[in-house]
């Protein structure tokens, strides 16, 4: 007993003492994340940035019963690969009503237990998870066996009870046009929002009420199935993917629909979260899917302008895709510096007006197909817009207006990419194996090579990037020049000014990032994820806290140090320790090209004083 007691004391010390590594990370790694003062924050008050992918994979498909991975072992291998290849610290994990409640009033506990096991594969890597009750075009069961398109979401028994007309999208060139053109889809969605009552084998059921019931049961089961640590790393829930009206009532538009139907639904969902034991986790609520579209055909007013506030129990959760770039016709060229700053700033501004944090839970661009040549530039521009309000050409002169950094989840991560065996709409004559196996999409950032190992389908410099994963205070400015490669070309959009020759010499043609933040006096350090190609031995850091090439290992006393990320070995983070409320800065480069770190420090100090003083 004495030996056990001593062991317990040692374990507690390791988990609470600064500078001592616990088995699964450092003392500040497992904190609950909440929303406060318009940002994600941990219990140390640090401003947290969430970056990662949608863990979708087979979740939209029937081949593996609606789970993102064929097995828990596959989920574990995928989580490790994601950590090593991208440094992701969060994923959006898809779950589906049809698999939760395959028969009326009957919850499939086995499906939910499998979800919990696959979620744990990610939390075991220190990767946080938020659930997404996903739907596309309401349900796969609306579509004919020979249809060009398919969907996912509602169970078959809901659709059959609804008695909807035969579906047809007419001359649709994109699956998303079904949201407005397919009468079966629009009728079913309209019924959902108006809580239409249907006759079932379990008696009369109102559709929206039933969705809320199954969601509550699913959350209750998942909480009981997950370990305390795994549940602590669950961020919250996205109540419904890409909501839309189906069709509006007389005199209604998107703004009124959000106010009168969508927000009441979210408040009801929030109540189910509280009742299921998720009261300390936010609801990641999406506005009308069409609110931030850059294609006029789809664009509609929305974004909750008629909702006075959301507050800390909700997150403003938006998607963004460049529909013009995907069309190939509306935007024939590639993306450039600052291409999406206005679009992403709109998301920032709406969250700020609603008094909460923001996340872009879906963004991306096809990795194959006739517009895939745009992928490197489009992804670079989207990540640039997540990092800063400013294009690279104006960052140094306007850095005081750069922040905050946005969280985001790229669409998507599917190790089964190109290896599917999906019977589209249960039709054995329409077996889909290529790409995502869903409506001819090609978005996965990963695939398996011939040896069965995960490899990226996108430019690695774009997705494995320097970013401030936790800031001890308030981010004032951030930028990262990833020098992404587009074929033979290197995309360099942020040029260090001629007035800072020592900084320019130090950076050379390498990748670099700059963070400026105001401290809040907490003990936990500011952290930046280091891309895998940033060797700690050759990484240069120029900061008011110190200037060095080569990073010492973190023991809890160094102001500038390196430590492993939780999970897979070989993944690192930069730790910058402060305990005051002053303004601090750090330039991080993947190796000093030439020149003096001392001279670069003097130039950066003068720039920070002039810009933020």
């Amino acid at each position: 007993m004495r030996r056990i007691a001593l062991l317990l004391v040692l374990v507690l010390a390791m988990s609470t003492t600064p500078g001592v590594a616990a088995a699964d990370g450092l003392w500040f790694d497992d904190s609950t994340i909440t929303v406060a003062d318009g940002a994600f924050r941990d219990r140390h008050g640090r401003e947290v940035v969430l970056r990662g992918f949608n863990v979708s994979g087979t979740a939209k498909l029937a081949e593996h019963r609606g789970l993102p991975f064929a097995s828990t072992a596959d989920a574990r291998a995928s989580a490790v690969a994601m950590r090593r290849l991208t440094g992701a610290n969060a994923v959006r994990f898809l779950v589906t009503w049809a698999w939760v409640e395959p028969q009326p009033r009957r919850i499939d506990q086995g499906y939910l237990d499998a979800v919990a096991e696959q979620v744990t594969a990610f939390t075991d890597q220190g990767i946080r998870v938020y659930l997404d009750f996903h739907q596309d075009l309401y349900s796969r069961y609306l579509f004919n066996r020979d249809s060009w398109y398919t969907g996912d979401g509602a169970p078959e028994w809901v659709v059959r009870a609804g008695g909807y007309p035969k579906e047809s999208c007419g001359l649709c060139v994109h699956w998303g046009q079904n949201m407005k053109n397919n009468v079966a889809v629009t009728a079913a969605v309209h019924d959902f929002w108006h809580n239409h009552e249907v006759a079932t084998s379990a008696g009369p059921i109102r559709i929206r009420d039933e969705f809320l019931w199954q969601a509550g049961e699913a959350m209750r089961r998942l909480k009981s199935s997950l370990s305390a640590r795994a549940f602590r790393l669950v961020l919250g829930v996205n109540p419904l993917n890409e909501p839309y009206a189906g069709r509006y009532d007389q005199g209604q538009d998107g703004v009124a629909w959000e106010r009168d139907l969508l927000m009441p639904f979210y408040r009801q969902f929030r109540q189910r979260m509280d009742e299921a034991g998720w009261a300390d986790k936010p609801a990641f609520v999406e506005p009308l899917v069409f609110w931030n579209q850059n294609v006029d055909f789809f664009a509609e007013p929305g974004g909750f302008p008629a909702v006075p506030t959301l507050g800390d129990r909700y997150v403003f959760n938006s998607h963004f895709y460049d529909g013009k770039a995907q069309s190939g016709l509306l935007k024939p060229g590639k993306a450039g510096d600052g291409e999406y700053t206005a679009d992403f700033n709109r998301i920032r501004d709406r969250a700020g007006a609603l008094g909460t944090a923001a996340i872009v839970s879906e963004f991306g661009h096809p990795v194959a197909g006739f517009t895939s040549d745009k992928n490197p530039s489009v992804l670079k521009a989207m990540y640039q817009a997540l990092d800063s309000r400013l294009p690279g050409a104006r960052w140094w002169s306007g850095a005081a207006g750069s922040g905050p950094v946005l969280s985001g989840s790229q669409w998507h991560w599917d190790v089964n990419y190109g290896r599917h065996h999906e019977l589209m709409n249960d039709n054995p004559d329409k077996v889909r194996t290529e790409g995502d196996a869903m409506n001819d999409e090609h978005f996965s950032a990963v695939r398996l090579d011939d040896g069965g190992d995960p490899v990226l389908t996108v430019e690695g410099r774009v997705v494995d990037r320097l970013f401030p994963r936790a800031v001890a205070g308030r981010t004032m400015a951030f930028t990262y020049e990833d020098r992404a490669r587009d074929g033979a070309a290197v995309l360099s959009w942020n040029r260090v000014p001629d007035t800072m020759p020592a900084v320019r010499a130090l950076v050379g043609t390498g990748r670099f990032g700059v963070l400026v933040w105001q401290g809040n006096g907490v003990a936990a350090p500011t952290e930046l994820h280091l891309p895998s190609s940033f060797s700690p031995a050759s990484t240069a850091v120029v900061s008011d806290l110190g200037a060095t090439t080569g990073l010492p290992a973190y023991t809890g006393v160094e102001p500038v140090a390196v430590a492993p990320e939780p999970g897979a070995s070989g993944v690192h983070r930069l730790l910058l320790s402060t305990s005051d409320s002053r303004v601090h800065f750090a330039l991080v480069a993947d190796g000093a090209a030439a020149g003096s770190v001392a001279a670069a420090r003097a130039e950066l100090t003068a720039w920070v004083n002039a810009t933020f003083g």
Side-chain angles (χ1 to χ4, degrees):
M1 290 295 293
R2 182 179 178 183
R3 183 176 296 174
I4 293 174
L6 178 59
L7 179 61
L8 178 60
V9 169
L10 289 172
V11 170
L12 288 173
M14 289 176 70
S15 64
T16 59
T17 303
V20 181
D24 55 0
L26 299 175
W27 63 278
F28 39 77
D29 282 343
D30 284 352
S31 173
T32 296
I33 303 298
T34 57
V35 176
D37 299 324
F40 293 105
R41 296 192 184 276
D42 64 13
R43 65 183 175 87
H44 308 288
R46 296 187 300 174
E47 191 177 80
V48 172
V49 174
L50 306 169
R51 290 287 175 85
F53 296 84
N54 282 262
V55 182
S56 43
T58 60
K60 288 188 178 186
L61 310 177
E63 61 175 325
H64 295 303
R65 297 187 56 78
L67 293 166
F69 304 99
S71 66
T72 302
D74 282 358
R76 290 195 190 102
S78 192
V80 169
M82 184 186 292
R83 199 47 138 167
R84 286 179 173 162
L85 293 172
T86 74
N89 66 346
V91 295
R92 181 176 181 244
F93 192 107
L94 276 63
V95 293
T96 311
W97 182 13
W99 298 104
V100 175
E101 190 185 8
Q103 297 298 326
R105 290 279 143 165
R106 293 183 183 178
I107 300 297
D108 188 337
Q109 309 292 0
Y111 166 74
L112 293 171
D113 290 346
V115 167
E117 290 175 1
Q118 295 193 6
V119 165
T120 301
F122 285 85
T123 59
D124 282 350
Q125 290 295 312
I127 297 174
R128 298 178 186 272
V129 176
Y130 61 111
L131 299 180
D132 162 39
F133 280 91
H134 205 83
Q135 69 80 34
D136 287 293
L137 309 182
Y138 192 70
S139 174
R140 68 196 303 265
Y141 300 106
L142 278 173
F143 289 84
N144 308 315
R145 285 164 62 88
D146 296 320
S147 178
W148 291 3
Y149 302 106
T150 190
D152 70 311
E156 182 176 16
W157 60 267
V158 172
V159 173
R160 299 297 173 248
Y164 300 110
K166 183 177 180 179
E167 66 86 16
S168 174
C169 196
L171 297 176
C172 293
V173 296
H174 186 272
W175 70 265
Q177 290 176 257
N178 283 275
M179 296 184 195
K180 295 189 176 187
N181 292 5
N182 193 319
V183 291
V185 173
T186 58
V189 173
H190 185 270
D191 278 358
F192 176 87
W193 293 114
H194 289 78
N195 208 16
H196 180 65
E197 184 176 278
V198 294
T200 76
S201 60
I205 283 177
R206 292 192 174 276
I207 299 173
R208 194 183 68 227
D209 287 348
E210 192 68 8
F211 177 89
L212 291 165
W213 175 79
Q214 64 84 33
E217 293 300 301
M219 289 185 285
R220 188 172 288 108
R221 178 72 177 196
L222 289 171
K223 185 177 188 297
S224 67
S225 299
L226 293 166
S227 70
R229 178 182 181 272
F231 187 65
R232 191 162 60 250
L233 294 186
V234 172
L235 295 160
V237 188
N238 186 161
L240 190 69
N241 177 67
E242 296 186 347
Y244 57 104
R247 62 172 184 263
Y248 292 122
D249 296 330
Q250 184 68 32
Q252 191 179 56
D253 64 2
V255 172
W257 176 80
E258 286 181 336
R259 180 195 62 211
D260 297 338
L261 288 171
L262 185 57
M263 271 313 302
F265 165 76
Y266 285 149
R267 293 187 187 103
Q268 290 176 310
F269 194 98
R270 173 75 265 180
Q271 181 180 349
R272 300 307 191 282
M273 290 178 67
D274 296 348
E275 293 168 350
W278 297 56
D280 63 342
K281 301 179 186 297
F284 289 64
V285 297
E286 298 186 39
L288 174 69
V289 64
F290 305 118
W291 87 282
N292 202 22
Q293 295 284 328
N294 70 346
V295 178
D296 291 343
F297 170 81
F298 286 107
E300 293 183 20
F304 301 129
V307 176
T309 187
L310 289 177
D312 294 349
R313 283 164 54 77
Y314 299 88
V315 172
F316 183 71
N317 171 13
S318 184
H319 296 178
F320 181 79
Y321 294 94
D322 186 346
K324 292 181 179 179
Q326 289 186 39
S327 74
L329 300 174
L330 300 176
K331 183 186 290 183
K334 297 185 179 183
D337 180 23
E339 187 83 30
Y340 305 117
T341 53
D343 302 295
F344 283 61
N345 288 346
R346 192 178 182 206
I347 296 170
R348 286 182 173 89
D349 293 341
R350 285 308 305 142
L354 292 163
T356 191
I359 192 167
V360 187
S361 64
E362 284 190 28
F363 64 94
H365 190 82
V367 301
F370 74 104
T371 68
S372 60
D373 65 304
K374 304 176 191 294
N375 182 279
S377 64
V378 168
L379 283 187
K380 177 182 173 74
M382 288 181 174
Y383 276 105
Q384 179 196 52
L386 287 171
D387 287 346
S388 173
R389 295 184 66 95
L390 300 170
R394 292 197 291 112
W395 191 85
W396 291 94
S397 61
S402 174
V405 178
L406 272 175
S407 294
S409 305
Q410 184 178 329
W411 187 270
H412 64 111
W413 187 270
D414 176 13
V415 292
N416 298 298
Y417 177 80
R419 297 183 174 217
H420 288 286
H421 189 84
E422 173 69 6
L423 279 63
M424 186 174 181
N425 299 318
D426 296 322
N427 188 341
D429 296 325
K430 296 190 73 172
V431 180
R432 294 290 179 259
T433 59
E434 295 183 359
D436 300 340
M438 177 76 175
N439 292 330
D440 297 320
E441 291 190 339
H442 293 265
F443 277 86
S444 180
V446 69
R447 64 176 179 85
L448 298 181
D449 64 15
D450 292 341
D453 296 319
V455 294
L456 294 173
T457 65
V458 296
E459 161 65 296
R461 292 188 176 197
V462 173
V463 294
D464 187 15
R465 54 195 301 109
L466 189 82
F467 73 93
R469 63 196 303 277
V471 174
R474 179 174 66 90
T475 301
M476 302 180 76
F478 177 70
T479 189
Y480 178 54
E481 177 50 78
D482 54 35
R483 313 281 196 201
R485 294 158 296 199
D486 184 5
V490 176
L491 305 177
S492 296
W493 295 345
N494 187 318
R495 184 178 184 273
V496 178
D498 294 339
T499 54
M500 304 173 76
V503 174
R504 289 190 66 190
L506 186 74
V507 168
T509 59
R511 291 160 292 167
F512 70 92
V514 180
L515 174 68
V516 183
W517 77 102
Q518 183 162 23
N520 63 354
V522 304
T526 289
E527 306 180 39
L528 293 95
H529 167 68
L530 287 178
S532 60
S533 54
F534 277 51
S535 166
S538 59
T539 295
V541 175
V542 180
S543 171
D544 63 299
L545 306 175
T548 181
T549 299
L551 302 174
Y554 179 74
T555 66
V557 296
E558 302 83 6
V560 179
V562 69
E565 294 265 23
S569 62
V571 185
H572 299 96
R573 51 187 153 164
L574 172 67
L575 303 184
L576 305 167
S577 297
T578 61
S579 57
D580 56 55
S581 58
R582 298 200 308 268
V583 173
H584 300 279
F585 69 87
L587 177 144
V588 186
D590 65 346
S596 165
V597 292
R601 184 183 186 188
E603 290 178 354
L604 287 165
T605 299
W607 171 75
V608 169
N609 289 339
T611 305
F612 301 95

